[in-house]
């Protein structure tokens, strides 16, 4: 039994069905993710106000297809052809104990001023730790823990600031950058899920330390990460155990160590080092693994692969739900970062180009964009900010301004550090904020 798409009138939809396509462009609707499960009659009524028909994912049977049956396999079921025919594993929905509902309490501008040194401080702390590990010196984890505490508080106050800074900041050492950016993605996801501040501290610290075992691998091996033969890959996989050996007697909490141990495990058991699956993988390790994988897609080693655009990386993650990553976590991650994450270079439908600076939870396909070129891709003398959600609020469908495509990071002529941002309320220099 596989999965296929079936066109169906909106009036015939039922709770539990999975909507995979619409009869109109997604950007003309308020639905946040390109594909979603119908959870209530309110969802059906919302669809009816925008669409006449939709496509739903249905199970293929040999003789006939019944739309009234569960659109996706029941919990615990295996099967399905999505994700290249790999096994799917379905679990009950995540349950976060006493989730915290965070509200942004400061502006992006203010938080960037407060946090602009954080990533540099984290990089210095990691560099010192890795140097101590390599030389067998005493390892002091206090600087790393202190920086994570500040990062957690920043993400709680305003989640877009560190995302922005981590995307546009340049750093020479791939291992440091990878660990730092993974930590930021994971913290933003954890905030969305409602993890309390203590758990967020564990999550961030675990992500920063998850790569420490790579200090024990040959440089030549790391420089070819992703292009290794079977024997080399077997050696590469040992970095997790090497990291655990380094940190075993460090006094770190069990939660932090579980992230280091489990961040390369996968939902369907295809990960390493132990190949555990499903609920056997600790929640924080699952989040770390998802964030680390996403960062590897959009920020690979420059000598090995071209970076994937954030939008394509989001689409790939969505296709891997319940295969390598649990469904709830994938959807929570996408809700946290948006379809076009902060720091994504984009081209609008009228040809203007810019960079996403923040997004709205209600309109994730219509973020705020700092425009850096006109519709002919001619650089602007001064950047301007357009809030697509507000811009499109009262416009007809033919006048909608939306994102046409996501561009590769580093696209020529799109350097945000060279512009001033002109917003509705203030004018401030990005160059001054990121010239460190």
């Amino acid at each position: 039994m596989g999965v296929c798409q079936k066109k169906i009138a909106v009036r015939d939809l039922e709770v539990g069905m999975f909507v995979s396509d619409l009869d109109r462009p997604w950007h003309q609707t308020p639905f946040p993710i390109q594909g979603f499960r119908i959870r209530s009659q309110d969802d059906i009524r919302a669809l009816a106000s925008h669409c006449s028909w939709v496509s739903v994912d249905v199970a293929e049977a040999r003789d006939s297809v019944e739309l009234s049956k569960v659109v996706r396999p029941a919990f615990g079921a295996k099967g399905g052809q999505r994700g290249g025919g790999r096994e799917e594993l379905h679990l009950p929905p995540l349950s976060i104990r006493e989730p915290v509902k965070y509200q942004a309490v400061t502006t992006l501008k203010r938080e960037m001023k407060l946090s602009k040194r954080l990533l540099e401080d984290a990089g210095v702390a990691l560099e010192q730790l890795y140097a101590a590990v390599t030389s067998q010196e005493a390892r002091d984890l206090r600087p790393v823990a202190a920086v994570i505490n500040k990062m957690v508080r920043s993400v709680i106050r305003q989640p877009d600031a560190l995302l922005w800074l981590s995307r546009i900041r340049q750093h020479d050492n791939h291992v440091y950058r990878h660990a730092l950016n993974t930590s930021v993605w994971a913290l933003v996801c954890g905030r969305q899920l409602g993890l309390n501040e203590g758990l967020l501290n564990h999550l961030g610290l675990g992500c920063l330390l998850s790569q420490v075992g790579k200090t024990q691998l040959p440089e030549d091996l790391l420089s070819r990460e992703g292009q290794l033969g079977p024997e080399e890959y077997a050696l590469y996989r040992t970095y997790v155990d090497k990291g655990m050996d380094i940190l075993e007697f460090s006094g770190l909490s069990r939660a932090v160590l579980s992230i280091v141990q489990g961040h390369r495990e996968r939902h369907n058991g295809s990960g390493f080092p132990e190949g555990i699956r499903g609920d056997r993988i600790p929640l924080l390790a699952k989040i770390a693994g998802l964030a680390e994988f996403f960062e590897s897609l959009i920020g690979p080693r420059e000598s090995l692969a071209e970076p994937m655009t954030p939008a394509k990386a989001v689409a790939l993650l969505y296709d891997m739900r319940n295969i390598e990553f649990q469904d709830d976590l994938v959807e929570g991650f996408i809700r946290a970062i948006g379809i076009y994450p902060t720091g994504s270079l984009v081209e609008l439908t009228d040809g203007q180009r810019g960079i996403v600076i923040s997004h709205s939870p209600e309109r994730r396909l219509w973020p705020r964009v700092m425009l850096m070129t006109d519709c002919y891709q001619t650089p602007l003398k001064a950047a301007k900010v357009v809030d697509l959600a507000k811009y499109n609020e009262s416009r007809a469908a033919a006048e909608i301004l939306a994102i046409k495509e996501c561009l590769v990071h580093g696209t020529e002529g799109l350097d945000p550090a060279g512009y001033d941002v002109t917003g509705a309320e203030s004018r401030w220099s990005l160059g001054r904020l990121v010239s460190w």
Side-chain angles (χ1 to χ4, degrees):
M1 180 177 290
V3 175
C4 67
Q5 282 191 328
K6 185 75 173 181
K7 187 175 177 179
I8 181 174
V10 172
R11 64 177 179 273
D12 294 326
L13 288 172
E14 297 179 11
V15 173
M17 290 181 173
F18 186 84
V19 177
S20 55
D21 200 5
L22 308 177
D23 64 357
R24 61 185 298 177
W26 285 88
H27 69 260
Q28 295 178 9
T29 74
F31 308 117
I33 299 175
Q34 294 184 334
F36 60 96
R37 192 202 317 270
I38 296 175
R39 303 184 185 277
S40 67
Q41 290 298 322
D42 287 340
D43 290 342
I44 297 176
R45 284 190 286 270
L47 277 166
S49 68
H50 291 86
C51 308
S52 298
W53 60 265
V54 298
S55 291
V56 296
D57 287 354
V58 298
E60 291 177 330
R62 291 184 178 180
D63 300 321
S64 63
V65 174
E66 291 186 42
L67 290 177
S68 59
K69 291 186 177 180
V70 177
V71 179
R72 299 157 92 183
F75 294 139
K78 302 174 182 178
Q81 296 303 309
R82 181 172 50 76
R86 289 173 292 175
E87 177 188 354
E88 291 186 47
L89 173 65
H90 294 257
L91 297 175
L94 283 174
S95 179
I96 306 296
R97 183 179 299 176
E98 299 180 355
V100 181
K101 292 186 178 180
Y102 295 104
Q103 298 292 330
V105 296
T106 187
T107 64
L108 177 63
K109 170 187 173 182
R110 183 184 298 273
E111 190 57 36
M112 284 180 65
K113 288 183 177 180
L114 292 173
S115 303
K116 62 180 181 178
R117 303 292 301 187
L118 273 179
L119 294 182
E120 184 178 24
D121 291 344
V124 170
L126 274 182
E127 187 172 5
Q128 292 173 345
L129 173 63
Y130 284 19
V133 168
T134 303
S135 62
Q136 302 298 315
E137 296 176 1
R139 297 141 199 171
D140 185 2
L141 296 177
R142 288 176 296 180
V144 179
V147 127
I148 274 295
N149 185 259
K150 294 178 181 178
M151 289 173 65
V152 167
R153 292 179 181 178
S154 174
V155 167
I156 287 175
R157 291 190 299 262
Q158 167 53 257
D160 286 316
L162 281 185
L163 276 182
W164 170 273
L165 293 173
S166 67
R167 289 292 288 145
I168 65 174
R169 178 175 182 262
Q170 300 299 316
H171 200 294
D172 293 334
N173 191 299
H174 176 78
V175 175
Y176 302 160
R177 184 181 70 241
H178 187 77
L180 286 170
N181 291 352
T182 293
S183 181
V184 175
W185 292 120
L187 289 177
V188 171
C189 179
R191 180 188 190 274
Q192 168 69 34
L193 295 174
L195 300 183
N196 62 44
E197 187 172 342
L199 290 176
L200 290 176
N201 273 283
H202 292 323
L203 177 60
L205 185 56
C207 288
L208 278 188
L209 298 176
S210 64
Q211 308 296 302
V212 73
K214 291 182 178 179
T215 61
Q216 307 299 298
L217 297 180
E219 279 291 332
D220 176 64
L221 188 76
L222 292 177
S223 68
R224 292 180 290 106
E225 185 177 358
Q227 297 180 354
L228 303 175
E231 292 185 2
E232 292 177 316
Y233 187 62
L235 175 59
Y236 172 81
R237 287 162 53 120
T238 65
Y239 88 82
V240 174
D241 288 333
K242 292 180 185 297
M244 288 297 293
D245 290 341
I246 292 169
L247 300 171
E248 184 178 6
F249 301 107
S250 61
L252 291 169
S253 70
R254 184 182 301 177
V256 172
L257 292 175
S258 75
I259 295 169
V260 178
Q261 174 72 25
H263 73 281
R264 291 304 295 260
E265 302 290 358
R266 292 296 180 257
H267 184 65
N268 62 357
S270 62
F272 63 85
E274 297 182 354
I276 59 176
R277 56 189 278 160
D279 278 342
R280 292 190 61 197
I281 307 172
L283 173 60
L284 297 185
K286 289 182 180 183
I287 298 172
L290 178 60
E292 196 262 351
F293 179 76
F294 184 78
E295 175 59 27
S296 72
L297 295 177
I298 65 173
R301 289 182 182 272
E302 295 179 3
S303 60
L304 296 179
E306 289 292 323
M308 187 178 290
T309 66
K312 288 184 178 179
V314 164
L316 178 59
L317 276 183
Y318 195 70
D319 194 48
M320 297 172 74
R321 65 198 190 281
N322 282 334
I323 300 174
E324 293 201 24
F325 304 104
Q326 190 170 340
D327 190 359
D328 306 61
L329 286 181
V330 172
E331 294 189 6
F333 186 81
I334 296 174
R335 282 195 298 271
I337 69 171
I339 303 297
Y340 304 105
T342 298
S344 300
L345 297 176
V346 295
E347 181 174 326
L348 303 186
T349 47
D350 65 355
Q352 296 182 95
R353 289 182 171 184
I355 185 168
V356 175
I357 60 175
S358 66
H359 54 258
S360 160
E362 294 78 24
R363 293 289 189 273
R364 295 198 180 277
L365 292 175
W366 291 344
R368 293 177 71 229
V369 178
M370 183 183 81
L371 299 175
M372 293 180 280
T373 79
D374 61 19
C375 57
Y376 304 104
Q377 279 93 62
T378 302
L380 301 175
K381 292 183 178 180
K384 60 179 181 180
V385 174
V386 57
D387 186 328
L388 294 179
K390 290 183 179 179
Y391 180 89
N392 294 325
E393 204 166 47
S394 57
R395 281 177 166 78
E399 301 174 329
I400 293 292
L401 183 61
I403 291 177
K404 176 184 177 182
E405 62 177 328
C406 207
L407 305 173
V408 175
H409 196 65
T411 296
E412 186 177 357
L414 297 180
D415 180 10
Y419 285 90
D420 285 342
V421 177
T422 304
E425 299 177 359
S426 61
R427 191 171 189 272
W428 42 286
S429 171
L430 277 175
R432 290 195 298 272
L433 288 176
V434 299
S435 59
W436 42 278

